[in-house]
Amino acid sequence: QVTLKESGPVLVKPTETLTLTCTVSGFSLTNARMGVSWIRQPPGKALEWLAHIFSNDEKSYSTSLRSRLTISKDTSKSQVVLTMTNMDPVDTATYYCARLNLQTWFDPWGQGTLVTVSS
Amino acid sequence: QSALTQPASVSGSPGQSITISCTGASNDVGRYDLVSWYQQHPGKAPTLMIYEVFKRPSGVSNRFSGSKSGNTASLTIFGLLPEDETDYYCSSYAGSNTWVFGGGTKLTVL
C-alpha cells in the first residue's frame, strides 16, 4: 500500500523558514516513473503546485515561489523535504505531498498538514 | 503558470448529468494530453478521478468521464448522486516540469 505522510510545525512566525517532511512508504524514491510534489491549499481556496523532485534528483519549482523554495530527498529515509523561506501570513495553508506518476497524475496524496503563519 | 479556469460552482439534480470545464492555454491544456481531475471532500485530501484527459483509475465509477477540446478540458458526471456533492479540481502539465491547477468547482446536488 502506497502512503505519504506530511510532518512539520503547525505554527511558524513571519519571516521564519518552514521545513516540511514527507515520509513515503510502498514505493521507492528511486523509481524512475515516479516523483513527489508539494502542493498547498490556503483555507477555502484552490490547490497550488509548489515543487517537484524526480527520481534522478532533478528538481522543479513554481515560478512565482522559486526564490523561496528548496526541495530535497533522502532516499535512505524515504523522505522528501520542502523548505520555504521568509514565511508570511498569506502562506497559511494545508501543505500536501503527493506522488506524481509518469509525470502526469498526482496519486496518492498525503493527508496534509495545516501550517499557520502568525506572530 | 497561470491557474486554469474553472466555474466556481455548478449544480444538478440527482440522476442528471453535469459538466465542469477547465480552460487553460496553448502551452498547458492545449499542448499536452496530461489533464487530471481530483475530487476533494471537506477536510480531506484530493483523490484522483481522471488522468490523461479521459482515463479512469480502478475503483472510480464509470459515471465520471473526461474529455478535451483545444484549450479546454471537461469532467462530466453522469447520474448525479448526493455523494458527488463536493469540490473538484483540474490539473495540467504546463511544460518545463511544472504543473498547474484550476481554481476549483463546487458541485451542488440539488
Side-chain angles (χ1 to χ4, degrees), chain B residues 52-77:
Chain B
E52 293 179 346
V53 177
F54 62 88
K55 298 177 181 179
R56 260 190 326 272
S58 61
V60 172
S61 170
N62 59 9
R63 297 186 300 107
F64 291 83
S65 176
S67 62
K68 191 187 90 167
S69 178
N71 296 342
T72 298
S74 298
L75 174 70
T76 299
I77 308 175

Side-chain angles (χ1 to χ4, degrees), chain A residues 37 39 41 45-49 52 54 58 60-64 96 100 102-107 109-112, chain B residues 1 34-36 38 40 43-48 50-52 89 91 93 96-104:
Chain A
S37 273
I39 297 151
Q41 184 175 36
K45 296 189 178 181
L47 299 167
E48 179 184 17
W49 176 79
H52 182 76
F54 293 86
E58 184 177 356
S60 58
Y61 298 97
S62 162
T63 302
S64 61
Y96 295 99
L100 182 71
L102 294 175
Q103 286 189 248
T104 68
W105 68 93
F106 299 101
D107 179 65
W109 297 56
Q111 62 189 23
Chain B
Q1 298 161 3
L34 299 178
V35 175
S36 51
Y38 303 87
Q40 185 181 34
K44 301 295 186 181
T47 58
L48 178 70
I50 295 286
Y51 67 100
E52 293 179 346
Y89 292 90
S91 176
Y93 180 65
S96 301
N97 293 329
T98 65
W99 289 263
V100 62
F101 283 92

Side-chain angles (χ1 to χ4, degrees), chain B:
Chain B
Q1 298 161 3
S2 299
L4 307 176
T5 300
Q6 298 180 231
S9 63
V10 298
S11 62
S13 300
Q16 288 187 333
S17 299
I18 62 93
T19 296
I20 300 171
S21 61
C22 170
T23 301
S26 57
N27 61 344
D28 43 55
V29 174
R31 177 171 292 181
Y32 306 101
D33 287 336
L34 299 178
V35 175
S36 51
W37 289 89
Y38 303 87
Q39 179 187 68
Q40 185 181 34
H41 287 284
K44 301 295 186 181
T47 58
L48 178 70
M49 304 302 287
I50 295 286
Y51 67 100
E52 293 179 346
V53 177
F54 62 88
K55 298 177 181 179
R56 260 190 326 272
S58 61
V60 172
S61 170
N62 59 9
R63 297 186 300 107
F64 291 83
S65 176
S67 62
K68 191 187 90 167
S69 178
N71 296 342
T72 298
S74 298
L75 174 70
T76 299
I77 308 175
F78 299 94
L80 278 176
L81 297 173
E83 55 259 40
D84 297 332
E85 180 167 298
T86 192
D87 297 328
Y88 293 85
Y89 292 90
C90 62
S91 176
S92 175
Y93 180 65
S96 301
N97 293 329
T98 65
W99 289 263
V100 62
F101 283 92
T105 298
K106 180 176 178 59
L107 169 62
T108 300
V109 180
L110 303 169

Side-chain angles (χ1 to χ4, degrees), chain A residues 27-42:
Chain A
F27 73 101
S28 171
L29 294 175
T30 61
N31 188 319
R33 296 175 297 173
M34 301 168 184
V36 173
S37 273
W38 283 94
I39 297 151
R40 71 177 179 179
Q41 184 175 36

